[in-house]
Amino acid sequence: LDDPYLYRIETSILSEGKILDKVSMPFGIRFITWDADKGFFLNNKPVKLLGVNMHQGHAGLGVALPNGMQYYRINRLKQMGANAYRCSHHPPTLELLDACDSLGMLVINENRLLNTSHEYLNQFSRMVIRDRNHPSVILWSIGNEEGYIQTNGNGKRMAITLIEKLKRLDPSRKVTYAADVPNVFNGINEVIPIRGFNYREKAMEAYHKDHPNQPIIGTEMGSTVSTRGIYSYDSINCYLPDLDLTAPWWASKADEWWPIVAENPWAAGGFIWTGMDYMGEPTPFHWPNIGSHFGVMDQCGFPKNLYYYYQSWWDTTLPVLNLAPHWNWLNRWGFEQEVWIDSNSDSVNLKLNGKNLGTRPMQKNQHLKWKVKYEPGILEAKGYKNGFEFITSVVDTGGREVLTADNRVKFKVTGPAKIIGVGNGDPSSHEPDKCETNLWQRSLFRGKCQVILQMGDTPGKVGFEASSEGLWPASTEIHTLPDSFHHIAPTEDQIRPAGINDKERIMGADISFLPQLEAEGMKFYDFG
């Protein structure tokens, strides 16, 4: 997960000494197991699956993403601390799996259509054959929330057919099904190897006690609805507060589901609904709201405050201290504002314009909240952990981001590149994602917007300019490199048999299972 290491195998078809066709394929080596009491193991080490559900689309682009966008999106999730990705509810594009392989993101690969007719079995088989050599794929899903079928004999028989098909095509992986029923064992759950829970997390413990030999994973968890940078309920513009306050009746808030999964080793992990907002499903609103509010990031990949809640408890490598809301209020002097802090520190101190508002302990897997009477100035938090302190401030002057700005920004590009999309993360925006050449523009939403560039075939200098009425223009240069620069293959003398130290680096500290693999004929090589 932290240092993904890939190899490359070349397969050739020869006839009378001539190569008719050849394919060069990257692959990785890892060992996975599932335990009903202890969860998921990667290379013999217990790993809690810190997952997100993701649709394919991105602001400004729809679902036809350039390869680079797959890496951008996976990196954003990795920075939050996520280590797992559920393709909900679709077979993924190959480029997504390539990104997950190379960046160290585990994948639930999902078949959307629970159906065992000839055509659907054919589609299912092609998906498995196409994707089974990707090391990022750790689990197959045969379906999602198929109504009453999931709890009756028809669903059970279809599940058996799909599971048996998988055993023939890929005996190395387990199978799950994303069920939106609580402590129910009828139908698909009778035969599925890994029990998937969509919500209903409060029933997970009772189910585990009733079925102690069946591993459990939260295939869909959470579903807090929020709008980045908004701090009130707005039914006119269809916005929700950017805090862990609101969830639909069928779901739960982040601080309700995550402690259950975090504190119970039998829970292999959970997948947030969702990692990013997406077009459609504008819960709880309707038109003119045209995008979802479920994401911990908006459609551009800009974090909401909930992003930092998960980062606090998922990413143990960096200090996290996030303070909300912004401190740019008008006509609110003396208004008692609720301040939220997400942090992985031991305790947090809060000050307003130098006045000490107290120090409070940070309760694990929860948020920290203060009531603060508003006055203009600097709201400052300090986190303390193991004798160290880290600081965050929310200010209304001094060159910081203006999180209430809504200026319209115009973009211009020169050189071997073009703009292919714009967005701002506003789930109610009807501004065009695509514009005419040299007329690209987008309004800021809560201080941010996004413009996506695609490089041309020729390397060179790209000029980029952004301007907005009443603001100073800004510009930068991007220097692109020839494609050959990114594909430098190792020479023959750089390729050598891997020694034991290389094996430890590749596989992790515990390599007790390697002799068995070597006895079965597997060779290990280090490509330098």
Side-chain angles (χ1 to χ4, degrees):
L1 296 176
D2 300 321
D3 185 20
Y5 195 93
L6 296 179
Y7 299 89
R8 188 170 294 275
I9 186 169
E10 189 170 279
T11 308
S12 302
I13 299 176
L14 292 87
S15 176
E16 297 179 352
K18 294 182 179 180
I19 296 178
L20 302 182
D21 194 12
K22 66 179 179 179
V23 174
S24 182
M25 182 190 72
F27 72 99
I29 303 169
R30 84 288 182 277
F31 186 67
I32 58 175
T33 54
W34 299 83
D35 187 279
D37 291 321
K38 299 178 182 178
F40 174 76
F41 287 75
L42 177 65
N43 298 334
N44 287 340
K45 295 180 180 179
V47 172
K48 187 75 77 172
L49 294 173
L50 312 174
V52 296
N53 286 273
M54 290 283 282
H55 283 350
Q56 308 103 304
H58 192 91
L61 299 176
V63 299
L65 305 188
N67 299 355
M69 289 304 298
Q70 305 289 359
Y71 288 82
Y72 166 80
R73 288 156 62 88
I74 297 300
N75 264 318
R76 297 298 280 168
L77 296 170
K78 291 278 290 187
Q79 290 162 6
M80 184 180 72
N83 62 20
Y85 182 112
R86 177 179 171 224
C87 305
S88 49
H89 311 283
H90 58 278
T93 181
L94 283 175
E95 289 77 15
L96 169 67
L97 295 181
D98 289 341
C100 292
D101 290 343
S102 64
L103 296 178
M105 178 70 76
L106 307 175
V107 175
I108 297 181
N109 197 321
E110 185 156 283
N111 169 58
R112 178 61 185 94
L113 299 167
L114 184 72
N115 193 308
T116 52
S117 67
H118 175 76
E119 172 59 25
Y120 289 108
L121 273 179
N122 181 267
Q123 290 184 24
F124 181 71
S125 299
R126 283 186 283 139
M127 177 188 78
V128 175
I129 292 169
R130 186 197 70 169
D131 297 346
R132 63 190 176 187
N133 286 324
H134 284 275
S136 56
V137 177
I138 59 165
L139 190 63
W140 301 103
S141 171
I142 60 171
N144 176 77
E145 296 185 1
E146 296 289 347
Y148 67 92
I149 295 176
Q150 64 189 317
T151 57
N152 65 23
N154 289 335
K156 178 180 177 180
R157 285 190 293 274
M158 286 191 284
I160 290 172
T161 299
L162 291 167
I163 292 169
E164 290 303 312
K165 173 68 75 172
L166 265 174
K167 286 181 179 178
R168 293 195 296 271
L169 296 175
D170 180 17
S172 71
R173 295 179 179 91
K174 299 289 188 183
V175 189
T176 191
Y177 168 80
D180 60 338
V181 291
N183 194 0
V184 176
F185 192 59
N186 298 332
I188 294 176
N189 291 332
E190 293 181 61
V191 296
I192 204 73
I194 310 294
R195 167 63 150 99
F197 269 84
N198 278 15
Y199 315 106
R200 318 297 189 267
E201 70 279 348
K202 294 179 181 178
M204 291 170 69
E205 185 171 8
Y207 186 92
H208 172 63
K209 289 180 179 179
D210 291 342
H211 311 95
N213 298 319
Q214 190 179 28
I216 291 176
I217 189 169
T219 37
E220 278 182 35
M221 297 277 107
S223 282
T224 298
V225 282
S226 62
T227 312
R228 178 181 58 79
I230 300 293
Y231 293 97
S232 61
Y233 292 93
D234 184 345
S235 60
I236 303 299
N237 294 300
C238 305
Y239 299 146
L240 295 145
D242 188 8
L243 298 166
D244 192 17
L245 287 172
T246 312
W249 67 266
W250 37 262
S252 58
K253 297 181 295 181
D255 61 9
E256 294 171 340
W257 81 267
W258 169 241
I260 294 174
V261 171
E263 295 162 14
N264 289 287
W266 48 260
F271 290 72
I272 309 165
W273 190 266
T274 53
M276 289 177 62
D277 284 341
Y278 51 91
M279 294 300 290
E281 293 194 317
T283 309
F285 303 112
H286 302 285
W287 184 270
N289 187 190
I290 54 175
S292 82
H293 297 263
F294 293 116
V296 295
M297 292 181 279
D298 65 19
Q299 292 185 45
C300 295
F302 297 141
K304 303 179 187 180
N305 285 308
L306 207 51
Y307 180 100
Y308 301 102
Y309 168 80
Y310 288 112
Q311 189 182 54
S312 296
W313 308 119
W314 287 10
D315 187 347
T316 59
T317 62
L318 295 173
V320 179
L321 183 61
N322 180 64
L323 182 61
H326 61 77
W327 212 243
N328 287 331
W329 301 107
L330 295 176
N331 305 319
R332 279 204 181 184
W333 194 290
F335 175 81
E336 195 170 56
Q337 178 68 50
E338 188 168 63
V339 173
W340 288 49
I341 295 174
D342 287 303
S343 179
N344 54 11
S345 60
D346 297 326
S347 61
V348 175
N349 173 261
L350 190 66
K351 291 181 179 180
L352 176 59
N353 292 327
K355 181 182 178 182
N356 194 337
L357 302 180
T359 300
R360 298 182 185 178
M362 193 73 219
Q363 186 177 351
K364 191 173 182 180
N365 299 322
Q366 294 296 327
H367 313 277
L368 194 57
K369 303 173 188 177
W370 250 279
K371 290 284 190 179
V372 180
K373 287 187 177 181
Y374 177 73
E375 62 181 62
I378 299 176
L379 184 67
E380 181 181 64
K382 287 186 179 181
Y384 299 92
K385 189 177 183 71
N386 299 328
F388 295 93
E389 70 175 36
F390 38 103
I391 303 173
T392 187
S393 297
V394 181
V395 303
D396 55 6
T397 60
R400 305 273 182 173
E401 290 184 28
V402 181
L403 300 180
T404 55
D406 60 0
N407 305 60
R408 177 167 293 181
V409 183
K410 297 180 179 179
F411 306 105
K412 182 180 179 182
V413 172
T414 57
K418 62 180 180 180
I419 299 173
I420 58 173
V422 289
N424 61 12
D426 181 354
S428 296
S429 175
H430 290 240
E431 293 184 65
D433 289 352
K434 306 288 186 181
C435 305
E436 295 182 26
T437 304
N438 297 324
L439 293 175
W440 288 92
Q441 58 185 353
R442 194 64 183 253
S443 297
L444 300 174
F445 177 65
R446 313 310 289 179
K448 294 180 183 291
C449 68
Q450 185 173 74
V451 55
I452 301 168
L453 275 64
Q454 188 174 55
M455 299 300 109
D457 295 329
T458 305
K461 183 175 71 174
V462 175
F464 176 77
E465 298 178 12
S467 61
S468 181
E469 186 175 349
L471 300 177
W472 291 105
S475 63
T476 190
E477 290 182 352
I478 304 167
H479 296 265
T480 63
L481 298 170
D483 186 61
S484 59
F485 183 87
H486 302 282
H487 299 282
I488 301 176
T491 60
E492 197 66 31
D493 60 351
Q494 290 176 311
I495 302 174
R496 68 183 193 279
I500 186 69
N501 292 332
D502 294 315
K503 292 178 187 175
E504 289 180 340
R505 177 170 59 81
I506 296 163
M507 305 305 301
D510 188 342
I511 59 169
S512 59
F513 55 91
L514 290 187
Q516 177 185 349
L517 298 180
E518 290 181 315
E520 294 171 0
M522 184 174 288
K523 303 294 183 182
F524 293 88
Y525 291 93
D526 179 17
F527 282 78

